[in-house]
Amino acid sequence: MKKVMQGNEAIARGAWEAGVIIGCAYPGTPSSEIMAEISGYDEIYTEWSPNEKIAVEVAHGASLAGGRAIACMKHVGLNVAADPFMTISYTGVKGGFVIVVADDPGQHSSQNEQDSRNWTRFGKVPMIEPADSQECKDFTKIAFDISERFDTPVLLRTETRVSHCDSVVESGERKESAIPKGLDQKDTPKYVMVPMYSRPKRVALEDKIAKLAAYADTEFPYNVMEINDPSIGFISSGVSYLYTKDVFPQYSFLKLGMVWPLPKNMIAEFFKKVKKVIVVEELDPFFETEIRAMGYKVWHGKDLIPAMGELSPGIIKQSLIKVVEGRKYKPPKIMIKPENLPRRPPNLCAGCSHRPLFYALKKLGLYVFGDIGCYALAVAPPLAAMHASTCMGAGIGGAYGAGKVLGKKGLGKICAVLGDSTFLHSGIGPLMDTVYNKGYSTTIILDNGITAMTGQQETPGTGYTIKGEPAAIVDYEQIVRAVGVKNVRKVDPYNIEETMGVIREEVNRDDASAIITVNSPCMLLRRANPLGKFKHPVYTIDTDRCRGCKVCLEINCPAVSWQKAEGQTKDGYKRKGTVFINKDQCVGCEVCVQVCKFEAIVPGAK
């Protein structure tokens, strides 16, 4: 049966058809939909793991028991999972084990831009890279066969456009692996990586890579040579192949479905069949470096093609049209000028509980060590209330480290902010470090009851599993106290004055402290009835009182905007304009009401 599928949906289908039993993931764009889709298959146990390292460890344990297992993450997630990943290449697997890593060229929703192909060479693990949804499904299936045949985990790399674009997929039937289930203590030398066992494994690993290279050369069906016009040959993979094929269909191609190890004999044969070779790849010159190291002359590559950001047919055409066809690049006609597009900068949702909290932090003038999540949007003006953010969980360590440098002079000036899911992901360790080593920083945990930014995924703090089944729920206060924090406060961030008072007290305390927000669910978490706590459904502007001071614009609510129109208030105060509240966006959170000094924001009607 044929069906149009998104790339991530097709990976899920491939996992099901491959007979996968266990699926684990931590959500992260552009990979989040994979595990959400897999959870729809009853034959597969799925979970949102607290972080990517745990996801890989759980999936590897399932593999050792003979089950096929898949772990999914975005590119930075593999950094978190690197510790087990780098050793699992030594231990190998029993049931097939596939790690899906989704890159984000152009940093649409990521703190950095990484080329995960570098992990495959570093970790000595094979990697395959699909180009469309059909290949997403097919590559996922064949990845499990490779894993079991060569006793290795397999990396399957996607990137934003492959993960999120739709194309036709031919579905198949589910087929279970013939690998027997069970654990055998006789396998101890295989799975315990102490030096006496890991040293022989290190040698065997090179032999395994050599066998995989031979497989890539002779058997892997998705390394394909297309000989057309031999004057120019392109070597490419994934979506870069599709882009290049779209621009220069008449020339020859070597499409590499297996990114590592490379099919050296096939590459040699390609160089014999074409006159000039151009390597087209997104991000790093991974192929180009390896091919040049083999001694081949690459005509063009990263000397013309950008090594940063996403590629596109347009970028490839602009980069190569002159050397390939001798023509000057002619840019396409611009249908809509960028300056004419509606401006929609990223912003917190109307009514979001993070907004009053960050407004309070700004008013207190604190230096805020932030983290990865919706709340990173607080860095944008006019809130401008986040000053450092690197990776998941890093804010707590950052605030603690800064306090060690500043000493007593830092009291009352710094704090760390992170979300509930991020705290469980990697925030507990640095908080423990802060207490253990006598830091004084304040950690603010924004509990909105869900992993919000990546699409409402459950966590151990929500009380539900990925399938919506009730589960044990984490008590953040007990965790914080368990690692030694004595000073724990809870605040309702919608009460700005009270929140400012609590934060002021804690950041001036010469001891580690924690503040946990309560009654502040994500505005999109309907089961929590986030609007139920607000007294009025909508507010409006009393133009008889609005002086046009623009203070309410500082909260950066998408429902509040400025209307330029000279006039005066009822008591004769002249103004240059008034604020306007869009009733379709306003949810009645009263944050703007609290910051207005003239009582000009009043209950309205929907």
Side-chain angles (χ1 to χ4, degrees), residues 71-239:
C72 307
M73 61 205 68
K74 66 182 298 178
H75 62 293
V76 290
L78 191 50
N79 304 345
V80 179
D83 202 0
F85 167 71
M86 294 295 289
T87 301
I88 292 170
S89 62
Y90 282 51
T91 66
V93 304
K94 184 177 177 183
F97 180 28
V98 174
I99 300 172
V100 180
V101 56
D103 286 359
D104 184 19
Q107 302 177 68
H108 294 285
S109 56
S110 304
Q111 65 267 42
N112 66 24
E113 187 177 72
Q114 294 178 196
D115 189 332
S116 293
R117 292 179 300 173
N118 293 298
W119 280 110
T120 183
R121 180 171 49 195
F122 186 33
K124 301 184 184 301
V125 167
M127 173 181 275
I128 56 179
E129 181 180 17
D132 58 21
S133 296
Q134 182 67 58
E135 287 194 349
C136 282
K137 196 211 75 167
D138 295 341
F139 280 34
T140 303
K141 290 179 67 176
I142 201 169
F144 284 98
D145 296 334
I146 295 171
S147 176
E148 291 178 357
R149 175 175 171 182
F150 293 95
D151 188 16
T152 179
V154 175
L155 286 169
L156 188 150
R157 181 206 186 207
T158 72
E159 49 84 51
T160 304
R161 299 304 161 191
V162 175
S163 284
H164 287 168
C165 284
D166 292 17
S167 59
V168 175
V169 176
E170 177 82 45
S171 299
E173 299 298 321
R174 178 176 169 87
K175 184 179 180 181
E176 304 280 348
S177 169
I179 298 288
K181 311 279 188 308
L183 297 168
D184 190 340
Q185 294 183 3
K186 294 178 182 177
D187 290 335
T188 298
K190 174 173 167 55
Y191 296 127
V192 178
M193 288 301 98
V194 293
M196 66 177 177
Y197 294 143
S198 63
R199 286 174 184 144
K201 286 281 189 179
R202 175 69 184 88
V203 177
L205 193 56
E206 295 302 321
D207 181 57
K208 188 185 299 183
I209 287 292
K211 291 178 179 175
L212 281 160
Y215 170 80
D217 244 329
T218 59
E219 293 186 62
F220 184 68
Y222 299 97
N223 286 337
V224 180
M225 199 182 302
E226 304 167 5
I227 302 301
N228 299 306
D229 182 343
S231 62
I232 294 176
F234 293 96
I235 297 178
S236 191
S237 69
V239 75

Side-chain angles (χ1 to χ4, degrees), residues 580-591:
F580 169 74
I581 294 180
N582 184 333
K583 68 178 183 180
D584 292 328
Q585 294 193 61
C586 179
V587 298
C589 71
E590 294 189 351
V591 172

Side-chain angles (χ1 to χ4, degrees), residues 503-565:
I503 295 174
R504 187 184 294 111
E505 289 179 16
E506 295 306 321
V507 295
N508 281 286
R509 187 190 297 278
D510 191 8
D511 193 9
S513 62
I515 300 171
I516 304 169
T517 64
V518 296
N519 302 321
S520 50
C522 172
M523 281 294 109
L524 304 178
L525 187 59
R526 295 192 177 189
R527 71 175 179 227
N529 188 24
L531 305 183
K533 66 178 294 180
F534 303 140
K535 290 184 292 186
H536 302 284
V538 65
Y539 279 80
T540 189
I541 299 297
D542 182 346
T543 54
D544 287 340
R545 295 179 176 176
C546 180
R547 295 195 174 194
C549 67
K550 299 184 180 179
V551 169
C552 57
L553 296 176
E554 293 180 13
I555 63 174
N556 202 25
C557 176
V560 182
S561 59
W562 173 252
Q563 291 186 141
K564 188 177 180 181

Side-chain angles (χ1 to χ4, degrees), residues 287-585:
F287 294 149
E288 185 178 342
T289 301
E290 290 294 330
I291 292 169
R292 288 185 187 276
M294 293 176 198
Y296 298 109
K297 183 179 179 181
V298 175
W299 189 38
H300 288 295
K302 290 301 177 186
D303 58 324
L304 298 176
I305 302 166
M308 294 181 284
E310 282 191 296
L311 295 182
S312 68
I315 291 173
I316 291 172
K317 188 174 185 178
Q318 182 177 8
S319 303
L320 299 176
I321 192 73
K322 187 173 183 180
V323 297
V324 173
E325 298 184 349
R327 294 189 288 121
K328 186 178 179 180
Y329 173 70
K330 184 179 179 182
K333 182 180 179 182
I334 297 177
M335 306 300 289
I336 301 175
K337 295 180 179 179
E339 57 267 28
N340 292 336
L341 293 172
R343 295 182 179 181
R344 290 179 292 184
N347 194 1
L348 297 166
C349 298
C352 176
S353 60
H354 300 339
R355 177 172 288 104
L357 188 283
F358 279 98
Y359 179 80
L361 293 173
K362 180 179 181 179
K363 286 298 176 184
L364 290 170
L366 298 180
Y367 189 97
V368 178
F369 286 84
D371 231 291
I372 308 299
C374 292
Y375 38 92
L377 297 170
V379 70
L383 277 178
M386 182 176 290
H387 310 98
S389 175
T390 52
C391 64
M392 300 280 280
I396 299 176
Y400 159 62
K404 285 295 183 184
V405 171
L406 299 175
K408 302 293 184 185
K409 293 182 179 178
L411 285 173
K413 297 179 181 177
I414 56 178
C415 71
V417 176
L418 78 173
D420 48 350
S421 179
T422 308
F423 178 69
L424 297 175
H425 179 282
S426 49
I428 299 172
L431 182 59
M432 191 187 320
D433 184 44
T434 302
V435 178
Y436 172 61
N437 288 303
K438 305 183 187 308
Y440 61 67
S441 54
T442 298
T443 299
I444 303 175
I445 302 171
L446 307 179
D447 182 8
N448 64 359
I450 203 74
T451 310
M453 193 171 201
T454 49
Q456 306 281 303
Q457 292 84 13
E458 306 292 351
T459 78
T462 66
Y464 295 93
T465 68
I466 189 173
K467 291 181 181 288
E469 301 160 342
I473 185 169
V474 162
D475 186 319
Y476 295 104
E477 181 178 356
Q478 286 194 30
I479 288 182
V480 169
R481 292 193 182 280
V483 300
V485 179
K486 298 175 182 175
N487 312 294
V488 185
R489 306 281 293 274
K490 292 186 176 181
V491 297
D492 181 343
Y494 290 103
N495 187 330
I496 297 175
E497 185 176 345
E498 179 184 283
T499 298
M500 289 180 65
V502 170
I503 295 174
R504 187 184 294 111
E505 289 179 16
E506 295 306 321
V507 295
N508 281 286
R509 187 190 297 278
D510 191 8
D511 193 9
S513 62
I515 300 171
I516 304 169
T517 64
V518 296
N519 302 321
S520 50
C522 172
M523 281 294 109
L524 304 178
L525 187 59
R526 295 192 177 189
R527 71 175 179 227
N529 188 24
L531 305 183
K533 66 178 294 180
F534 303 140
K535 290 184 292 186
H536 302 284
V538 65
Y539 279 80
T540 189
I541 299 297
D542 182 346
T543 54
D544 287 340
R545 295 179 176 176
C546 180
R547 295 195 174 194
C549 67
K550 299 184 180 179
V551 169
C552 57
L553 296 176
E554 293 180 13
I555 63 174
N556 202 25
C557 176
V560 182
S561 59
W562 173 252
Q563 291 186 141
K564 188 177 180 181
E566 292 190 358
Q568 64 181 25
T569 60
K570 192 174 183 179
D571 58 0
Y573 185 87
K574 293 183 178 180
R575 64 193 178 203
K576 295 183 178 180
T578 62
V579 166
F580 169 74
I581 294 180
N582 184 333
K583 68 178 183 180
D584 292 328
Q585 294 193 61

